[in-house]
Amino acid sequence: MSAMMERNQNVQQNAQQGQQTVQDVFVKEKIMPHCVRIDELSNHGINANDIEKLKTAGVCTMEGLSGASKKWLTQIKGLSEQKVEKLKAISKKTCNDTFQSATALATKRENLVKITTGSQPLDDMLMGGIESGSMTELYGEFRTGKTQLMHTLAVSGQIPVENGGGGGKVMYIDTEGTFRPERIVQIAERFGVEGTSCLDNIAYAKANNTEHQQELLVAAGAVLAQDH
């Protein structure tokens, strides 16, 4: 508890110095892995129509193209097997997607960020918090605190990295209609963050069904690629 109080005090002090907002922190502390936009293909002789087809299908970065299977890419209308082969070759070269030494991987992992859950015991169990650059699945019975944790992470993901946060913005896809802006404001107050700025840095969408959720994920990829 004392560690969390000290962390919250540090957040508040940072916010007061120069009236720094969460938006300022996001701009100054961009720590997310660098993504190469899919528009890079135009520098390799790929026409704008083909690039737009990839974006429409949700492929918005060179890393996304490199990770996509050839079989899936050929299902995109207008992309032949020959064209897909060329696209894959370009993406592999751009992303240097091949073997690397374990030392290089260790160096990359040193730059990972651990985002606090707001609970010191839970952070300890997770060895520091929610790890950036990976996917974390949370499951549990009804009324066990899953939504509460999501709301907390929507705030802690914005606070400065040195205070246990992500120093960035948040995207929240709500599948059950349980997102509450007023709860975000309350949690922001706990972390010493201005509530309105916190809400401004959360991109929210309500998924009406599974198909709509898939569409939102495609849109999310485009937004994230544009933001970087």
Side-chain angles (χ1 to χ4, degrees):
M1 178 67 72
S2 59
M4 181 56 66
M5 290 178 63
E6 182 178 356
R7 175 180 292 170
N8 292 345
Q9 290 174 352
N10 290 337
V11 173
Q12 192 167 12
Q13 289 174 359
N14 285 349
Q16 290 174 346
Q17 292 176 356
Q19 295 182 342
Q20 186 181 41
T21 65
V22 178
Q23 176 67 22
D24 295 328
V25 171
F26 176 74
V27 172
K28 295 178 181 178
E29 300 182 5
K30 220 168 199 181
I31 44 75
M32 292 295 290
H34 176 64
C35 293
V36 181
R37 295 179 184 175
I38 201 68
D39 299 285
E40 170 66 18
L41 288 172
S42 62
N43 296 325
H44 298 270
I46 304 301
N47 63 59
N49 287 335
D50 288 336
I51 295 175
E52 192 60 34
K53 291 172 185 175
L54 289 169
K55 289 182 179 180
T56 301
V59 183
C60 302
T61 66
M62 296 298 289
E63 289 79 5
L65 177 58
S66 179
S69 68
K70 294 179 182 179
K71 181 179 180 180
W72 182 80
L73 288 170
T74 54
Q75 294 175 356
I76 299 176
K77 187 176 181 180
L79 296 186
S80 64
E81 291 186 9
Q82 183 178 5
K83 188 171 294 184
V84 167
E85 288 286 350
K86 182 177 180 180
L87 291 171
K88 291 291 287 184
I90 295 172
S91 66
K92 293 292 183 182
K93 184 177 181 180
T94 302
C95 300
N96 193 25
D97 193 5
T98 183
F99 285 101
Q100 61 180 325
S101 69
T103 301
L105 178 60
T107 301
K108 289 181 179 180
R109 287 194 57 79
E110 289 177 357
N111 295 323
L112 292 178
V113 173
K114 296 294 185 71
I115 302 174
T116 179
T117 63
S119 168
Q120 192 60 54
L122 183 54
D123 284 349
D124 293 340
M125 289 176 61
L126 297 172
M127 301 180 67
I130 302 296
E131 186 177 275
S132 65
S134 61
M135 183 180 296
T136 301
E137 182 179 6
L138 178 71
Y139 64 92
E141 296 182 356
F142 180 64
R143 298 184 68 84
T144 53
K146 300 186 299 298
T147 301
Q148 170 66 17
L149 179 55
M150 293 302 98
H151 280 70
T152 302
L153 290 172
V155 176
S156 64
Q158 302 182 40
I159 65 178
V161 175
E162 62 268 22
N163 293 319
K169 296 183 179 181
V170 174
M171 184 171 290
Y172 197 115
I173 298 178
D174 187 359
T175 60
E176 298 181 338
T178 54
F179 180 80
R180 297 292 181 270
E182 58 271 22
R183 185 66 185 125
I184 293 294
V185 173
Q186 293 172 350
I187 297 172
E189 182 179 352
R190 169 195 171 189
F191 282 96
V193 179
E194 204 279 315
T196 301
S197 296
C198 191
L199 290 174
D200 287 341
N201 286 332
I202 298 176
Y204 170 85
K206 171 68 171 66
N208 299 316
N209 49 56
T210 304
E211 183 177 348
H212 185 212
Q213 184 176 355
Q214 291 291 335
E215 293 173 355
L216 289 173
L217 288 171
V218 171
V223 172
L224 291 172
Q226 185 66 30
D227 216 15
H228 287 86

PDB file of all heavy atoms in Angstrom, residues 201-225:
ATOM      1  N   ASN A 201      -7.751  10.464 -23.956  1.00  0.00           N
ATOM      2  CA  ASN A 201      -6.717   9.555 -24.456  1.00  0.00           C
ATOM      3  C   ASN A 201      -7.189   8.106 -24.562  1.00  0.00           C
ATOM      4  O   ASN A 201      -6.373   7.203 -24.759  1.00  0.00           O
ATOM      5  CB  ASN A 201      -5.484   9.622 -23.559  1.00  0.00           C
ATOM      6  CG  ASN A 201      -4.694  10.896 -23.770  1.00  0.00           C
ATOM      7  OD1 ASN A 201      -4.708  11.471 -24.849  1.00  0.00           O
ATOM      8  ND2 ASN A 201      -4.018  11.352 -22.734  1.00  0.00           N
ATOM      9  N   ILE A 202      -8.500   7.893 -24.424  1.00  0.00           N
ATOM     10  CA  ILE A 202      -9.059   6.556 -24.571  1.00  0.00           C
ATOM     11  C   ILE A 202      -9.947   6.530 -25.814  1.00  0.00           C
ATOM     12  O   ILE A 202     -10.912   7.280 -25.918  1.00  0.00           O
ATOM     13  CB  ILE A 202      -9.905   6.152 -23.342  1.00  0.00           C
ATOM     14  CG1 ILE A 202      -9.024   6.112 -22.085  1.00  0.00           C
ATOM     15  CG2 ILE A 202     -10.546   4.776 -23.566  1.00  0.00           C
ATOM     16  CD1 ILE A 202      -9.804   5.821 -20.804  1.00  0.00           C
ATOM     17  N   ALA A 203      -9.592   5.686 -26.771  1.00  0.00           N
ATOM     18  CA  ALA A 203     -10.425   5.484 -27.960  1.00  0.00           C
ATOM     19  C   ALA A 203     -11.369   4.326 -27.659  1.00  0.00           C
ATOM     20  O   ALA A 203     -10.932   3.191 -27.458  1.00  0.00           O
ATOM     21  CB  ALA A 203      -9.558   5.169 -29.170  1.00  0.00           C
ATOM     22  N   TYR A 204     -12.667   4.602 -27.621  1.00  0.00           N
ATOM     23  CA  TYR A 204     -13.663   3.611 -27.190  1.00  0.00           C
ATOM     24  C   TYR A 204     -14.564   3.185 -28.347  1.00  0.00           C
ATOM     25  O   TYR A 204     -14.920   3.985 -29.214  1.00  0.00           O
ATOM     26  CB  TYR A 204     -14.531   4.197 -26.071  1.00  0.00           C
ATOM     27  CG  TYR A 204     -15.742   3.354 -25.729  1.00  0.00           C
ATOM     28  CD1 TYR A 204     -15.642   2.291 -24.839  1.00  0.00           C
ATOM     29  CD2 TYR A 204     -16.983   3.623 -26.312  1.00  0.00           C
ATOM     30  CE1 TYR A 204     -16.742   1.518 -24.537  1.00  0.00           C
ATOM     31  CE2 TYR A 204     -18.088   2.854 -26.012  1.00  0.00           C
ATOM     32  CZ  TYR A 204     -17.973   1.791 -25.128  1.00  0.00           C
ATOM     33  OH  TYR A 204     -19.063   1.015 -24.828  1.00  0.00           O
ATOM     34  N   ALA A 205     -14.919   1.908 -28.354  1.00  0.00           N
ATOM     35  CA  ALA A 205     -15.886   1.393 -29.329  1.00  0.00           C
ATOM     36  C   ALA A 205     -16.665   0.247 -28.689  1.00  0.00           C
ATOM     37  O   ALA A 205     -16.109  -0.561 -27.941  1.00  0.00           O
ATOM     38  CB  ALA A 205     -15.196   0.906 -30.595  1.00  0.00           C
ATOM     39  N   LYS A 206     -17.947   0.179 -28.992  1.00  0.00           N
ATOM     40  CA  LYS A 206     -18.814  -0.899 -28.489  1.00  0.00           C
ATOM     41  C   LYS A 206     -19.014  -1.914 -29.599  1.00  0.00           C
ATOM     42  O   LYS A 206     -19.501  -1.590 -30.683  1.00  0.00           O
ATOM     43  CB  LYS A 206     -20.163  -0.318 -28.050  1.00  0.00           C
ATOM     44  CG  LYS A 206     -21.230  -1.372 -27.712  1.00  0.00           C
ATOM     45  CD  LYS A 206     -20.865  -2.136 -26.455  1.00  0.00           C
ATOM     46  CE  LYS A 206     -22.024  -3.016 -26.000  1.00  0.00           C
ATOM     47  NZ  LYS A 206     -22.332  -4.114 -26.940  1.00  0.00           N
ATOM     48  N   ALA A 207     -18.625  -3.168 -29.350  1.00  0.00           N
ATOM     49  CA  ALA A 207     -18.798  -4.242 -30.320  1.00  0.00           C
ATOM     50  C   ALA A 207     -20.186  -4.853 -30.149  1.00  0.00           C
ATOM     51  O   ALA A 207     -20.521  -5.362 -29.071  1.00  0.00           O
ATOM     52  CB  ALA A 207     -17.721  -5.307 -30.133  1.00  0.00           C
ATOM     53  N   ASN A 208     -21.003  -4.801 -31.192  1.00  0.00           N
ATOM     54  CA  ASN A 208     -22.380  -5.290 -31.097  1.00  0.00           C
ATOM     55  C   ASN A 208     -22.489  -6.799 -31.281  1.00  0.00           C
ATOM     56  O   ASN A 208     -23.425  -7.430 -30.790  1.00  0.00           O
ATOM     57  CB  ASN A 208     -23.248  -4.581 -32.138  1.00  0.00           C
ATOM     58  CG  ASN A 208     -23.283  -3.080 -31.919  1.00  0.00           C
ATOM     59  OD1 ASN A 208     -23.424  -2.607 -30.790  1.00  0.00           O
ATOM     60  ND2 ASN A 208     -23.125  -2.310 -32.989  1.00  0.00           N
ATOM     61  N   ASN A 209     -21.538  -7.376 -32.008  1.00  0.00           N
ATOM     62  CA  ASN A 209     -21.530  -8.822 -32.220  1.00  0.00           C
ATOM     63  C   ASN A 209     -20.119  -9.229 -32.642  1.00  0.00           C
ATOM     64  O   ASN A 209     -19.227  -8.389 -32.767  1.00  0.00           O
ATOM     65  CB  ASN A 209     -22.562  -9.237 -33.286  1.00  0.00           C
ATOM     66  CG  ASN A 209     -22.462  -8.400 -34.541  1.00  0.00           C
ATOM     67  OD1 ASN A 209     -21.397  -8.306 -35.159  1.00  0.00           O
ATOM     68  ND2 ASN A 209     -23.568  -7.765 -34.939  1.00  0.00           N
ATOM     69  N   THR A 210     -19.926 -10.528 -32.860  1.00  0.00           N
ATOM     70  CA  THR A 210     -18.593 -11.028 -33.202  1.00  0.00           C
ATOM     71  C   THR A 210     -18.067 -10.442 -34.502  1.00  0.00           C
ATOM     72  O   THR A 210     -16.893 -10.070 -34.613  1.00  0.00           O
ATOM     73  CB  THR A 210     -18.613 -12.564 -33.304  1.00  0.00           C
ATOM     74  OG1 THR A 210     -19.095 -13.109 -32.076  1.00  0.00           O
ATOM     75  CG2 THR A 210     -17.215 -13.109 -33.572  1.00  0.00           C
ATOM     76  N   GLU A 211     -18.945 -10.360 -35.504  1.00  0.00           N
ATOM     77  CA  GLU A 211     -18.523  -9.802 -36.792  1.00  0.00           C
ATOM     78  C   GLU A 211     -18.109  -8.349 -36.650  1.00  0.00           C
ATOM     79  O   GLU A 211     -17.098  -7.920 -37.210  1.00  0.00           O
ATOM     80  CB  GLU A 211     -19.655  -9.931 -37.808  1.00  0.00           C
ATOM     81  CG  GLU A 211     -19.277  -9.434 -39.204  1.00  0.00           C
ATOM     82  CD  GLU A 211     -20.396  -9.641 -40.216  1.00  0.00           C
ATOM     83  OE1 GLU A 211     -21.371 -10.364 -39.904  1.00  0.00           O
ATOM     84  OE2 GLU A 211     -20.295  -9.079 -41.313  1.00  0.00           O
ATOM     85  N   HIS A 212     -18.895  -7.604 -35.873  1.00  0.00           N
ATOM     86  CA  HIS A 212     -18.567  -6.197 -35.647  1.00  0.00           C
ATOM     87  C   HIS A 212     -17.246  -6.077 -34.889  1.00  0.00           C
ATOM     88  O   HIS A 212     -16.436  -5.171 -35.156  1.00  0.00           O
ATOM     89  CB  HIS A 212     -19.691  -5.523 -34.849  1.00  0.00           C
ATOM     90  CG  HIS A 212     -19.511  -4.060 -34.676  1.00  0.00           C
ATOM     91  ND1 HIS A 212     -19.951  -3.370 -33.570  1.00  0.00           N
ATOM     92  CD2 HIS A 212     -18.907  -3.122 -35.468  1.00  0.00           C
ATOM     93  CE1 HIS A 212     -19.647  -2.094 -33.687  1.00  0.00           C
ATOM     94  NE2 HIS A 212     -19.013  -1.919 -34.827  1.00  0.00           N
ATOM     95  N   GLN A 213     -16.994  -6.982 -33.968  1.00  0.00           N
ATOM     96  CA  GLN A 213     -15.744  -6.960 -33.220  1.00  0.00           C
ATOM     97  C   GLN A 213     -14.553  -7.159 -34.148  1.00  0.00           C
ATOM     98  O   GLN A 213     -13.525  -6.493 -34.009  1.00  0.00           O
ATOM     99  CB  GLN A 213     -15.752  -8.044 -32.145  1.00  0.00           C
ATOM    100  CG  GLN A 213     -14.522  -8.034 -31.252  1.00  0.00           C
ATOM    101  CD  GLN A 213     -14.615  -9.054 -30.132  1.00  0.00           C
ATOM    102  OE1 GLN A 213     -15.626  -9.713 -29.957  1.00  0.00           O
ATOM    103  NE2 GLN A 213     -13.551  -9.190 -29.366  1.00  0.00           N
ATOM    104  N   GLN A 214     -14.686  -8.073 -35.102  1.00  0.00           N
ATOM    105  CA  GLN A 214     -13.619  -8.286 -36.074  1.00  0.00           C
ATOM    106  C   GLN A 214     -13.368  -7.022 -36.899  1.00  0.00           C
ATOM    107  O   GLN A 214     -12.218  -6.661 -37.177  1.00  0.00           O
ATOM    108  CB  GLN A 214     -13.990  -9.451 -37.009  1.00  0.00           C
ATOM    109  CG  GLN A 214     -14.005 -10.811 -36.339  1.00  0.00           C
ATOM    110  CD  GLN A 214     -12.608 -11.280 -35.940  1.00  0.00           C
ATOM    111  OE1 GLN A 214     -11.627 -10.866 -36.522  1.00  0.00           O
ATOM    112  NE2 GLN A 214     -12.536 -12.143 -34.953  1.00  0.00           N
ATOM    113  N   GLU A 215     -14.438  -6.353 -37.280  1.00  0.00           N
ATOM    114  CA  GLU A 215     -14.307  -5.113 -38.045  1.00  0.00           C
ATOM    115  C   GLU A 215     -13.593  -4.037 -37.228  1.00  0.00           C
ATOM    116  O   GLU A 215     -12.758  -3.286 -37.754  1.00  0.00           O
ATOM    117  CB  GLU A 215     -15.692  -4.617 -38.470  1.00  0.00           C
ATOM    118  CG  GLU A 215     -16.402  -5.525 -39.470  1.00  0.00           C
ATOM    119  CD  GLU A 215     -17.835  -5.100 -39.734  1.00  0.00           C
ATOM    120  OE1 GLU A 215     -18.306  -4.148 -39.060  1.00  0.00           O
ATOM    121  OE2 GLU A 215     -18.490  -5.700 -40.603  1.00  0.00           O
ATOM    122  N   LEU A 216     -13.917  -3.987 -35.938  1.00  0.00           N
ATOM    123  CA  LEU A 216     -13.274  -3.004 -35.058  1.00  0.00           C
ATOM    124  C   LEU A 216     -11.787  -3.297 -34.892  1.00  0.00           C
ATOM    125  O   LEU A 216     -10.964  -2.368 -34.825  1.00  0.00           O
ATOM    126  CB  LEU A 216     -13.961  -3.001 -33.687  1.00  0.00           C
ATOM    127  CG  LEU A 216     -15.364  -2.401 -33.634  1.00  0.00           C
ATOM    128  CD1 LEU A 216     -15.989  -2.617 -32.260  1.00  0.00           C
ATOM    129  CD2 LEU A 216     -15.332  -0.911 -33.956  1.00  0.00           C
ATOM    130  N   LEU A 217     -11.427  -4.574 -34.862  1.00  0.00           N
ATOM    131  CA  LEU A 217     -10.024  -4.943 -34.736  1.00  0.00           C
ATOM    132  C   LEU A 217      -9.233  -4.527 -35.976  1.00  0.00           C
ATOM    133  O   LEU A 217      -8.089  -4.084 -35.878  1.00  0.00           O
ATOM    134  CB  LEU A 217      -9.894  -6.451 -34.504  1.00  0.00           C
ATOM    135  CG  LEU A 217     -10.337  -6.947 -33.125  1.00  0.00           C
ATOM    136  CD1 LEU A 217     -10.363  -8.467 -33.079  1.00  0.00           C
ATOM    137  CD2 LEU A 217      -9.420  -6.399 -32.032  1.00  0.00           C
ATOM    138  N   VAL A 218      -9.870  -4.677 -37.148  1.00  0.00           N
ATOM    139  CA  VAL A 218      -9.229  -4.230 -38.386  1.00  0.00           C
ATOM    140  C   VAL A 218      -9.045  -2.714 -38.343  1.00  0.00           C
ATOM    141  O   VAL A 218      -7.974  -2.191 -38.694  1.00  0.00           O
ATOM    142  CB  VAL A 218     -10.063  -4.635 -39.614  1.00  0.00           C
ATOM    143  CG1 VAL A 218      -9.515  -3.980 -40.880  1.00  0.00           C
ATOM    144  CG2 VAL A 218     -10.080  -6.149 -39.774  1.00  0.00           C
ATOM    145  N   ALA A 219     -10.078  -2.008 -37.910  1.00  0.00           N
ATOM    146  CA  ALA A 219     -10.003  -0.547 -37.796  1.00  0.00           C
ATOM    147  C   ALA A 219      -8.953  -0.143 -36.773  1.00  0.00           C
ATOM    148  O   ALA A 219      -8.235   0.855 -36.955  1.00  0.00           O
ATOM    149  CB  ALA A 219     -11.365   0.020 -37.421  1.00  0.00           C
ATOM    150  N   ALA A 220      -8.840  -0.920 -35.694  1.00  0.00           N
ATOM    151  CA  ALA A 220      -7.861  -0.616 -34.647  1.00  0.00           C
ATOM    152  C   ALA A 220      -6.450  -0.701 -35.197  1.00  0.00           C
ATOM    153  O   ALA A 220      -5.593   0.134 -34.876  1.00  0.00           O
ATOM    154  CB  ALA A 220      -8.040  -1.592 -33.482  1.00  0.00           C
ATOM    155  N   GLY A 221      -6.200  -1.708 -36.035  1.00  0.00           N
ATOM    156  CA  GLY A 221      -4.880  -1.846 -36.645  1.00  0.00           C
ATOM    157  C   GLY A 221      -4.508  -0.633 -37.460  1.00  0.00           C
ATOM    158  O   GLY A 221      -3.363  -0.161 -37.428  1.00  0.00           O
ATOM    159  N   ALA A 222      -5.482  -0.106 -38.188  1.00  0.00           N
ATOM    160  CA  ALA A 222      -5.241   1.075 -39.021  1.00  0.00           C
ATOM    161  C   ALA A 222      -4.939   2.290 -38.152  1.00  0.00           C
ATOM    162  O   ALA A 222      -4.034   3.090 -38.441  1.00  0.00           O
ATOM    163  CB  ALA A 222      -6.443   1.348 -39.913  1.00  0.00           C
ATOM    164  N   VAL A 223      -5.690   2.440 -37.054  1.00  0.00           N
ATOM    165  CA  VAL A 223      -5.486   3.578 -36.152  1.00  0.00           C
ATOM    166  C   VAL A 223      -4.112   3.514 -35.495  1.00  0.00           C
ATOM    167  O   VAL A 223      -3.382   4.505 -35.423  1.00  0.00           O
ATOM    168  CB  VAL A 223      -6.583   3.611 -35.074  1.00  0.00           C
ATOM    169  CG1 VAL A 223      -6.256   4.681 -34.025  1.00  0.00           C
ATOM    170  CG2 VAL A 223      -7.935   3.910 -35.693  1.00  0.00           C
ATOM    171  N   LEU A 224      -3.724   2.321 -35.031  1.00  0.00           N
ATOM    172  CA  LEU A 224      -2.437   2.156 -34.362  1.00  0.00           C
ATOM    173  C   LEU A 224      -1.280   2.412 -35.319  1.00  0.00           C
ATOM    174  O   LEU A 224      -0.276   3.028 -34.953  1.00  0.00           O
ATOM    175  CB  LEU A 224      -2.336   0.746 -33.773  1.00  0.00           C
ATOM    176  CG  LEU A 224      -3.265   0.451 -32.600  1.00  0.00           C
ATOM    177  CD1 LEU A 224      -3.203  -1.023 -32.229  1.00  0.00           C
ATOM    178  CD2 LEU A 224      -2.904   1.304 -31.393  1.00  0.00           C
ATOM    179  N   ALA A 225      -1.409   1.932 -36.549  1.00  0.00           N
ATOM    180  CA  ALA A 225      -0.361   2.147 -37.543  1.00  0.00           C
ATOM    181  C   ALA A 225      -0.220   3.628 -37.859  1.00  0.00           C
ATOM    182  O   ALA A 225       0.894   4.154 -38.009  1.00  0.00           O
ATOM    183  CB  ALA A 225      -0.674   1.368 -38.820  1.00  0.00           C
TER     184      ALA A 225
END
